[in-house]
Amino acid sequence: MIEGRILKYYREKKGYTQQQLANGVCSITHLSKIERGLTEYSKEITTILSKKLNINIQDEVRKFKSLEGEFQEWKRAIVMLDTEAMNIKKAALDAKELKDIPDFQVQYSLLLARYYLVHYEIEKCQQIVEKIKKLDINLSPYERNLYKHVQGIYYFSIGSYKKSIEVLKEIDSSYSSEEYYYHLAISYHAVYDNILAFYYAKKALRYFQETLNFTRILDTETLIILKLNEQSQYSLEATRYYYSNLIQSAKKIQSVDRLTKLYYNFGQELFRRKHYEEAKEYIEAGLTLMTEESFYYLIMLELYISICYKGNLKSKESLLSNAKNGLHLAQKRNDPISLLFNLHVLLLKGKEASYYEYVESEVLPHFIKTGNEVLIQHFEVKLFRYYIKSEQNEKALALAKRKMLAELSYYEMD
């Protein structure tokens, strides 16, 4: 019963023992049963007990009943990525004492973790995830699924894509928030599983369209155009047309975050097609929208260096300065993208042997662990060619053998 749980919460918060609160009102045994919802009780008793705690039990019950709706409103603002609304609703909930009652404690903590992920405060999210993992309580089906959803987003944010997929796939059909399909889609995209990335992106798009979530529709359509280009490359004219429409949509809803991602994605596609100067223009446009503290700054800067180096668009001295700055910021944040900046530094300094030693000892093992198949393939090919060029034939053979043993023949059905 709600009254009993409220009385217990305020009793413990004020530091009263059951004996102190029950004294002169009822037996300790009766109070214990009231708090656990195991007995009937009179309105007079709960009124007297609440007065001793200096609360109005009727008001507290009303507050308790309204909290579930407020949690759902906060969650909706988070899913919609409505920063202003989610901040307002968080402040309103933070001002309410009953959010800390055991009935709401886990749900509040998980939504707070999601709030931190939206704001790229990864360490704060990690602390909450670890704290919940240690709690000796049974989660409700909704809380269990929400916990897995938060874990999946967290693992994706730190580059553990295989772990993200593993956790998100454990969410069961009772979970009503089909937003998680989007997080499955981007996780499969990160490990370059085109079929499943496209499949879950289409499911997510349908959900966002049904819920009129325009910001997330834009995110999902951006992912879909990426997958379409990977599966059957669109003409540059068609690709430019799609990105132009998406960029205009991002500007209309005034989403700097979405606009930045679109500049990055289109810049990356242009880079892949060797249109270096145009790619540089889009990445520069993205960089002007952010500061060095922005979450996507290092990702954008790393691509910018690659484009300018490949296209011979800036001097090596200038790019080396960019790479050193990126490496410093990445190490400061403990961001694994420091691996790529370190490679840029070695390459721009002309230290070829050190470059490939670093690929072998640090870069490849990291991407094998996180499951980034495209970067694994990219660096294995580079390493193989270097081994052949430098006549390290035994290493080249070992790498080729390992790669071929991991492959299945088209006709191998078992």
Side-chain angles (χ1 to χ4, degrees):
M1 296 178 186
I2 294 174
E3 289 86 351
R5 300 202 293 274
I6 292 171
L7 289 170
K8 180 182 180 182
Y9 169 72
Y10 280 109
R11 175 181 64 76
E12 292 178 341
K13 183 175 182 181
K14 293 177 185 292
Y16 289 5
T17 64
Q18 286 184 330
Q19 182 177 3
Q20 288 173 322
L21 183 58
N23 188 31
V25 183
C26 62
S27 69
I28 297 174
T29 301
H30 190 55
L31 174 59
S32 176
K33 288 182 177 179
I34 291 173
E35 290 185 343
R36 289 180 290 156
L38 299 178
T39 186
E40 297 292 330
Y41 48 83
S42 68
K43 182 179 179 181
E44 289 74 15
I45 286 181
T46 56
T47 299
I48 294 169
L49 291 171
S50 65
K51 283 182 178 178
K52 290 187 74 172
L53 292 169
N54 197 31
I55 61 171
N56 183 307
I57 193 65
Q58 286 77 27
D59 285 348
E60 296 301 323
V61 169
R62 282 193 291 272
K63 291 175 185 176
F64 182 97
K65 290 180 177 178
S66 72
L67 269 176
E68 183 61 41
E70 293 183 52
F71 277 118
Q72 290 306 312
E73 288 177 9
W74 189 26
K75 181 185 175 185
R76 177 172 170 75
I78 292 170
V79 173
M80 298 289 286
L81 296 179
D82 186 338
T83 305
E84 183 179 359
M86 75 174 78
N87 289 340
I88 291 172
K89 294 182 188 303
K90 177 182 181 297
L93 278 167
D94 284 346
K96 298 188 176 180
E97 290 183 285
L98 286 179
K99 75 177 187 303
D100 296 321
I101 205 166
D103 301 63
F104 299 116
Q105 195 172 22
V106 171
Q107 186 176 175
Y108 174 78
S109 296
L110 289 171
L111 290 177
L112 182 61
R114 287 242 24 209
Y115 174 85
Y116 286 142
L117 285 168
V118 170
H119 290 83
Y120 310 116
E121 297 183 69
I122 311 301
E123 289 185 9
K124 289 183 179 180
C125 172
Q126 180 188 17
Q127 291 168 6
I128 292 174
V129 169
E130 291 300 321
K131 183 178 178 180
I132 292 175
K133 190 183 294 185
K134 295 175 184 176
L135 288 177
D136 186 23
I137 58 173
N138 291 321
L139 302 183
S140 70
Y142 170 72
E143 290 169 340
R144 186 169 59 251
N145 283 321
L146 179 58
Y147 179 48
K148 292 181 185 302
H149 192 175
V150 170
Q151 279 186 304
I153 303 171
Y154 165 71
Y155 285 129
F156 178 86
S157 71
I158 62 172
S160 295
Y161 307 125
K162 288 182 177 178
K163 188 68 175 175
S164 176
I165 292 168
E166 178 187 324
V167 172
L168 290 171
K169 289 287 286 181
E170 291 176 359
I171 293 174
D172 63 47
S173 58
S174 68
Y175 191 52
S176 60
S177 182
E178 294 181 359
E179 177 210 13
Y180 86 98
Y181 289 140
Y182 174 76
H183 297 111
L184 263 174
I186 59 175
S187 296
Y188 277 117
H189 169 65
V191 298
Y192 292 87
D193 188 326
N194 290 336
I195 294 174
L196 286 175
F198 188 77
Y199 171 74
Y200 283 110
K202 295 293 286 185
K203 288 173 76 73
L205 181 60
R206 183 179 66 249
Y207 172 70
F208 293 140
Q209 288 171 335
E210 289 172 354
T211 54
L212 302 180
N213 193 335
F214 299 111
T215 301
R216 307 305 296 279
I217 288 171
L218 186 58
D219 284 344
T220 313
E221 287 184 336
T222 302
L223 178 58
I224 287 172
I225 186 62
L226 280 172
K227 303 322 295 178
L228 288 173
N229 261 312
E230 288 173 4
Q231 291 175 29
S232 57
Q233 185 167 296
Y234 276 28
S235 69
L236 183 57
E237 182 181 351
T239 300
R240 189 180 283 111
Y241 172 78
Y242 280 116
Y243 271 106
S244 176
N245 286 341
L246 292 171
I247 286 168
Q248 290 307 311
S249 296
K251 289 179 178 178
K252 283 179 182 177
I253 64 173
Q254 299 181 330
S255 176
V256 174
D257 196 34
R258 255 84 247 145
L259 190 57
T260 301
K261 288 180 183 177
L262 286 165
Y263 284 150
Y264 175 85
N265 289 339
F266 190 37
Q268 189 176 51
E269 180 63 26
L270 289 165
F271 173 52
R272 190 168 71 89
R273 297 178 188 234
K274 298 182 172 57
H275 289 261
Y276 301 121
E277 290 191 9
E278 189 179 0
K280 176 174 174 284
E281 289 176 13
Y282 276 94
I283 298 305
E284 284 179 334
L287 286 168
T288 62
L289 296 175
M290 61 181 79
T291 64
E292 289 187 350
E293 290 72 35
S294 300
F295 181 77
Y296 288 105
Y297 178 79
L298 289 177
I299 299 171
M300 192 78 79
L301 180 63
E302 194 281 322
L303 179 57
Y304 177 76
I305 294 170
S306 297
I307 290 168
C308 292
Y309 179 78
K310 282 281 189 178
N312 195 26
L313 303 176
K314 288 185 71 175
S315 68
K316 287 186 178 180
E317 291 75 15
S318 178
L319 290 177
L320 181 58
S321 176
N322 291 145
K324 286 180 177 179
N325 182 49
L327 178 60
H328 172 72
L329 290 172
Q331 290 174 336
K332 188 177 177 181
R333 296 184 193 177
N334 197 28
D335 191 322
I337 202 172
S338 60
L339 294 167
L340 299 182
F341 281 109
N342 217 347
L343 285 180
H344 283 309
V345 170
L346 292 171
L347 184 65
L348 290 162
K349 284 184 174 181
K351 296 184 177 181
E352 185 180 49
S354 297
Y355 177 96
Y356 286 103
E357 285 172 11
Y358 192 67
V359 168
E360 183 181 48
S361 63
E362 300 292 336
V363 178
L364 256 178
H366 170 76
F367 290 122
I368 290 171
K369 181 180 178 181
T370 59
N372 195 322
E373 297 297 337
V374 165
L375 286 179
I376 292 170
Q377 192 265 353
H378 170 71
F379 283 111
E380 282 182 338
V381 169
K382 286 175 71 75
L383 201 55
F384 180 79
R385 288 172 177 169
Y386 173 71
Y387 288 154
I388 295 297
K389 173 187 168 184
S390 57
E391 298 183 349
Q392 299 182 58
N393 296 326
E394 288 187 10
K395 282 190 173 184
L397 180 61
L399 179 59
K401 183 179 179 181
R402 185 172 71 247
K403 184 69 175 174
M404 291 305 296
L405 288 174
E407 295 289 333
L408 276 177
S409 164
Y410 176 80
Y411 293 100
E412 239 180 300
M413 306 304 290
D414 56 329

